[in-house]
Amino acid sequence: MGAAASAPRQPLRSLSADSVRELVESLGPKFADLAKQLQENGYDGEVLADASDEDLDELFGELSVSKLQQKVLRNKLRKSLDERPAAPAVGLAGEGLLGVAKDLPWIAPVAFLIGAVVKAAQDAAALKEDAARFVRVVRSVEGALQRAAADGKLTEAALIREALEEALAHCHMLAREGTCVAMLLSDSATFEALQAKLHSACEACAADTNLLVSESYDQAKRLEKEVEALGGAEVVAADPKLRERITASLSAADDQVAAVAAAPVVEYVVDAYDCFLSHKRSDCQDLVARVHDRLTDAGYRVFIDREDLEELPKLKASVRASGKLVFFMSPKIFESDWCMLELCTAVDSGVDVLPVTVEGTTWGNGERVFPDAQIDVPESVEIQGQVYYPRAAAAKAFAHAIGLEHSRSYFDAFIEKLSKRLPAKSAEDLEAKFKAQDERAARYDAMEQQLKALTLMMQAVAQIRGDPEEKGGYAADKAVVAQLATPAIAKELQSMMPVAACEPARLLAVDEAGLTGEALRERIANNAELKAVVAEAIAVHGSDMAMIATVEKDKQTIVAAEFREAADDEKLDGVAVPREMTHCQHIIANGGAPRDVKWNFSLNDDTIDMTSADAMAISKAGHAGFGAFHAAAGACMDESVPNDHSAAEYGPGTIGGVRKLFTLANDEEARYRGVPIQVCGENVCTLCTAGKGDGDVKDLEALAAKAGAILEKQMPKAVPVAAQEPDAPATNDDVGAWLKARRLGKFADGLLAMGVECVEDLHDVEPEDCIALGMSHIQQNRLRKELAKLET
């Protein structure tokens, strides 16, 4: 339905006691009694707006409001204090395009680059106005590529990747104001030139260039004139005071730019719904409320926006999570940008659209009882910097649709017909819906991890190469610009940290196989069968060491390892290494191709050198994995640290084992040989050997298949919908046990601290809370899925 654009939120202070009741009731059935008590006691919006935290504590105590309900209600009241809508969150760019990478593998790096360019532009410290405009251009490129892929027209062209690499380098130069000043005084690329190159690249990919956005970049032009007025680039470059003046001018201009493009990125994995009711509130709010109540009473899960859902990603996620979009065609439906967004999202996501003509509605001055997409539907709408094309979406949705006609006189018959058009309510349908949500959560996790790593590494590597002595200052800024003025660093880092085109599906397989978190710890502690496979691998290759390691989204963890000869204090089980530092990641990224190379930690053969200045800079910049690994490396070189000192957060791995590994890795004659291990149909682990022994890498394939069978046999058993316990546990201890049984036990303490008192309370936990606790989106989806199963 239309969100805040069609019905702006009333500020809290203006609400009557009756309106406050409606506001609180919108939070869900558990808030109904509280809403009634607030109304009966005369608490209107003005009273609640003026109440201090202490006043609210006293009020909530009197009304016996649980901690979690207090938190939810406080958030709702806080959002309602201001007449202006909260700053909308921006969805993660590139995620949608990544969804077609399994069929078009070449598109995966393009999707990651789009996400990285948008993130770099959103993070700009200067030229924010121009950067925000460029974000709209890049998002339109993503949309055009996605549409071409959906139509089966997208063709591979190297130009699109080259253009995005240049754009990424340019956007990274805006990361600091000082660097930006140096950039303005250089001959680097401009947003205008990059825009033209992106448009040409889309044409080369057979994408529809009519879908692309063109922008003008006035902020840079204004600053260019200011530099000229001060005597030109050379004069400004030579005078620190003039450079400071330009920096101040940049800051002043950027302070006036609304930070839409730089809003915090929040992505939502929401509950599954049978249908989403899309409607223009001012036309048919009461009708749709009646439909919602009747369908809900009949047992359907129905989404209706009763809380002014402004977060764009959450709105779109709710459409995607629905089995059908029921589109109420009232007189002004096509005037609502938000309804057009919902229609476009449904069509793009493959959600079935059911058009419902509201009684008395016609088009073309009464000539048509069904809208003509080419006449009655707007060609495009822009919402929060993103362009949508409802005319094309409507043409596709209405082409073969068999709609319904609403009748006030025969409302019961209308509801019966509508119910028959909704998805069948079976456990199999629910599992299919969850699978779709799993896939999207995995795409988000894959995209998020790659962008995080690439952004941090680009800045760190460029900084240390441009300013190796770490002196800082304008001269260093110019050197950093020189490093970032070409896409070389981006290209180099991407070759060092490749991601498989099927990465989202692979991450799901890793999770389902129990090769993350608590389940992985159990594997490491109970791996006798895997140890036997590792010992066979040593014998087959005559190698000095062999191991089985799981390749997670951000690290590689050794599940089982053996040395040919080792002391009791030389163990590797449980030792984790940043994914970007490993040979194994290349086996996974290359679709499982065996790997046979010299095993030394150098920049040769596309492996980051763990002792290089680049890696140290990445560690100092805050990369947790690099930091932990360098700490372990430091401990290895410290003779005062005994061999039996732990080197693994979970598992028996020791410093002695890591020392022995380093000795082997630094032997110039040692070779690394590795093959993938498939679980759940995806390459999730590797079996590899290292040493001077001879052997064909393909000799490991039979052992890898054996290891895969062992891992699949040990997979956590999924609980089917029909087997879920009927009653949710009620105590804190039971909540912890319930979470642990679903491999979410490590989040129990955090959730209990938030006020969760029973499993039912978990329904009220917001996605932001899950993210704050460190849940991946796959884990969030697992939580929502398990909660939904309890209701089935």
Side-chain angles (χ1 to χ4, degrees):
M1 85 180 188
S6 46
R9 176 199 294 142
Q10 286 182 279
L12 177 62
R13 192 176 296 278
S14 69
L15 297 181
S16 65
D18 290 342
S19 298
V20 167
R21 177 174 178 171
E22 292 179 8
L23 177 74
V24 177
E25 284 179 338
S26 73
L27 295 171
K30 289 193 294 183
F31 290 85
D33 290 341
L34 173 60
K36 184 178 179 182
Q37 290 181 70
L38 290 171
Q39 180 198 36
E40 291 175 347
N41 286 287
Y43 288 108
D44 59 17
E46 186 172 1
V47 172
L48 294 175
D50 291 335
S52 65
D53 287 341
E54 291 76 14
D55 294 334
L56 290 177
D57 287 339
E58 183 178 349
L59 171 63
F60 292 150
E62 291 175 358
L63 301 180
S64 301
V65 184
S66 72
K67 289 182 179 179
L68 187 62
Q69 285 183 313
Q70 288 184 37
K71 179 178 182 295
V72 173
L73 184 54
R74 284 177 193 271
N75 286 341
K76 187 68 175 178
L77 295 176
R78 191 177 300 117
K79 290 179 180 178
S80 300
L81 276 173
D82 195 342
E83 291 187 44
R84 296 168 298 173
V90 177
L92 200 61
E95 175 266 318
L97 193 58
L98 189 60
V100 302
K102 202 160 189 177
D103 296 322
L104 300 171
W106 66 269
I107 206 69
V110 172
F112 286 121
L113 279 168
I114 285 175
V117 172
V118 169
K119 185 179 188 308
Q122 290 171 345
D123 291 343
L127 287 184
K128 291 181 180 178
E129 180 183 334
D130 286 354
R133 291 176 182 274
F134 191 64
V135 165
R136 291 195 282 272
V137 172
V138 177
R139 284 194 177 277
S140 75
V141 168
E142 178 188 9
L145 294 176
Q146 201 167 345
R147 180 61 59 84
D151 293 341
K153 299 176 181 178
L154 192 61
T155 58
E156 184 174 1
L159 187 60
I160 186 66
R161 187 165 177 175
E162 293 173 7
L164 288 167
E165 286 169 344
E166 289 185 22
L168 179 59
H170 182 72
C171 290
H172 269 291
M173 287 189 287
L174 304 175
R176 294 185 307 142
E177 288 180 349
T179 305
C180 185
V181 173
M183 183 202 70
L184 289 171
L185 305 179
S186 72
D187 295 324
S188 61
T190 65
F191 278 130
E192 285 186 344
L194 291 168
Q195 176 175 285
K197 190 162 187 175
L198 283 171
H199 285 196
S200 297
C202 283
E203 188 173 5
C205 290
D208 186 355
T209 55
N210 292 320
L211 302 180
L212 300 177
V213 171
S214 295
E215 294 282 355
S216 60
Y217 303 96
D218 300 328
Q219 191 178 14
K221 293 176 182 177
R222 293 195 302 269
L223 286 167
E224 186 178 348
K225 290 180 180 179
E226 188 172 349
V227 169
E228 288 300 318
L230 293 174
E234 292 185 5
V235 173
V236 174
D239 190 333
K241 290 185 177 180
L242 291 180
R243 293 201 304 272
E244 186 177 344
R245 181 170 170 178
I246 292 292
T247 300
S249 181
L250 277 168
S251 299
D254 288 330
D255 287 343
Q256 300 174 14
V257 178
V260 173
V265 174
V266 179
E267 181 63 20
Y268 297 92
V269 176
V270 299
D271 292 338
Y273 300 99
D274 293 306
C275 62
F276 183 111
L277 306 183
S278 178
H279 69 288
K280 174 74 171 172
R281 182 179 301 176
S282 60
D283 281 352
C284 52
Q285 180 176 357
D286 293 340
L287 162 64
V288 174
R290 285 186 68 197
V291 172
H292 171 270
D293 292 344
R294 289 290 296 273
L295 292 176
T296 301
D297 290 344
Y300 291 98
R301 293 179 58 82
V302 184
F303 183 94
I304 182 173
D305 177 7
R306 282 179 171 167
E307 43 181 326
D308 290 340
L309 189 59
E310 292 156 355
E311 293 97 337
L312 193 60
K314 192 171 186 179
L315 180 64
K316 294 166 78 171
S318 299
V319 174
R320 293 187 181 105
S322 301
K324 192 179 292 286
L325 181 86
V326 182
F327 192 69
F328 286 86
M329 298 190 298
S330 57
K332 297 181 179 179
I333 181 71
F334 297 115
E335 296 176 13
S336 168
D337 289 351
W338 290 90
C339 292
M340 298 301 94
L341 163 68
E342 291 158 6
L343 178 63
C344 290
T345 302
V347 172
D348 290 343
S349 305
V351 175
D352 189 29
V353 177
L354 172 59
V356 173
T357 302
V358 175
E359 185 176 19
T361 303
T362 59
W363 288 267
N365 295 321
E367 295 179 0
R368 296 186 300 279
V369 295
F370 197 87
D372 185 325
Q374 301 303 320
I375 299 174
D376 302 310
V377 183
E379 181 180 3
S380 64
V381 296
E382 181 175 344
I383 302 176
Q384 298 175 6
Q386 297 184 54
V387 179
Y388 301 88
Y389 300 91
R391 180 175 296 171
K396 188 173 182 179
F398 299 163
H400 304 290
I402 301 175
L404 289 178
E405 292 186 9
H406 155 252
S407 170
R408 294 181 180 86
S409 302
Y410 300 96
F411 187 73
D412 289 344
F414 165 71
I415 290 295
E416 184 178 353
K417 290 179 181 179
L418 176 57
S419 300
K420 290 179 179 178
R421 300 286 296 276
L422 294 180
K425 293 185 61 55
S426 67
E428 291 76 15
D429 290 324
L430 193 60
E431 293 289 1
K433 176 61 66 177
F434 288 143
K435 182 180 179 182
Q437 287 181 263
D438 278 340
E439 290 171 353
R440 183 150 195 272
R443 289 202 305 271
Y444 192 91
D445 279 339
M447 180 67 67
E448 186 179 55
Q449 173 59 31
Q450 185 75 347
L451 300 193
K452 180 180 176 182
L454 183 59
T455 298
L456 185 148
M457 289 182 176
M458 275 193 71
Q459 291 293 344
V461 171
Q463 185 67 41
I464 198 64
R465 292 185 187 178
D467 186 16
E469 297 181 7
E470 300 187 56
K471 291 183 177 180
Y474 180 64
D477 285 335
K478 288 197 294 184
V480 172
V481 166
Q483 287 290 333
L484 283 174
T486 69
I489 291 179
K491 192 174 295 185
E492 180 183 334
L493 287 174
Q494 281 189 306
S495 72
M496 294 176 179
M497 44 185 274
V499 176
C502 60
E503 183 68 358
R506 202 192 68 79
L507 288 181
L508 270 180
V510 170
D511 182 71
E512 291 169 4
L515 291 169
T516 60
E518 297 154 32
L520 175 58
R521 296 173 212 164
E522 294 179 8
R523 295 290 185 88
I524 294 170
N526 301 283
N527 58 7
E529 289 183 280
L530 295 175
K531 286 271 192 181
V533 173
V534 169
E536 283 188 68
I538 290 177
V540 166
H541 273 184
S543 57
D544 297 304
M545 188 272 286
M547 66 180 181
I548 291 172
T550 176
V551 181
E552 301 163 72
K553 71 174 184 178
D554 58 347
K555 62 187 175 184
Q556 172 179 301
T557 302
I558 298 174
V559 182
E562 291 286 334
F563 291 104
R564 175 181 291 279
E565 297 177 357
D568 291 340
D569 56 9
E570 294 175 337
K571 302 180 184 299
L572 284 176
D573 297 6
V575 171
V577 184
R579 174 174 174 163
E580 298 88 357
M581 283 184 164
T582 69
H583 279 290
C584 296
Q585 63 163 333
H586 296 281
I587 295 174
I588 300 298
N590 292 333
R595 187 173 177 84
D596 184 349
V597 295
K598 279 191 174 182
W599 193 27
N600 53 50
F601 293 117
S602 71
L603 285 173
N604 296 324
D605 201 28
D606 60 27
T607 303
I608 291 181
D609 180 357
M610 70 174 70
T611 62
S612 71
D614 286 351
M616 288 300 296
I618 292 168
S619 175
K620 290 180 181 178
H623 190 294
F626 274 58
F629 193 80
H630 279 108
C636 288
M637 292 183 283
D638 184 349
E639 295 181 358
S640 67
V641 178
N643 270 356
D644 61 1
H645 187 81
S646 176
E649 185 177 2
Y650 305 104
T654 63
I655 288 293
V658 178
R659 282 173 174 152
K660 194 172 185 70
L661 178 69
F662 281 0
T663 300
L664 180 62
N666 288 321
D667 187 331
E668 293 184 358
E669 296 182 16
R671 295 194 68 81
Y672 166 98
R673 299 180 177 93
V675 294
I677 297 174
Q678 280 206 346
V679 182
C680 302
E682 299 289 343
N683 299 319
V684 301
C685 298
T686 57
L687 169 63
C688 53
T689 64
K692 300 177 184 179
D694 296 325
D696 188 337
V697 66
K698 292 189 176 181
D699 293 339
L700 295 176
E701 290 178 346
L703 291 175
K706 186 176 181 180
I710 293 170
L711 288 169
E712 289 199 354
K713 181 180 68 175
Q714 297 175 350
M715 280 177 59
K717 297 293 186 292
V719 183
V721 174
Q724 293 287 311
E725 60 266 37
D727 299 316
T731 68
N732 286 2
D733 290 342
D734 287 340
V735 171
W738 189 89
L739 289 167
K740 185 175 181 180
R742 288 148 181 85
R743 292 175 286 136
L744 297 167
K746 73 174 183 178
F747 305 111
D749 289 343
L751 289 166
L752 292 174
M754 287 181 181
V756 171
E757 297 178 351
C758 62
V759 171
E760 183 65 25
D761 283 345
L762 291 170
H763 287 286
D764 295 324
V765 176
E766 292 291 329
E768 295 94 329
D769 297 326
C770 294
I771 292 170
L773 290 173
M775 278 193 200
S776 70
H777 289 82
I778 291 176
Q779 289 169 327
Q780 289 180 55
N781 202 46
R782 193 192 314 148
L783 174 61
R784 300 297 175 199
K785 180 165 56 178
E786 295 295 335
L787 289 172
K789 286 178 180 179
L790 284 175
E791 298 179 358
T792 304

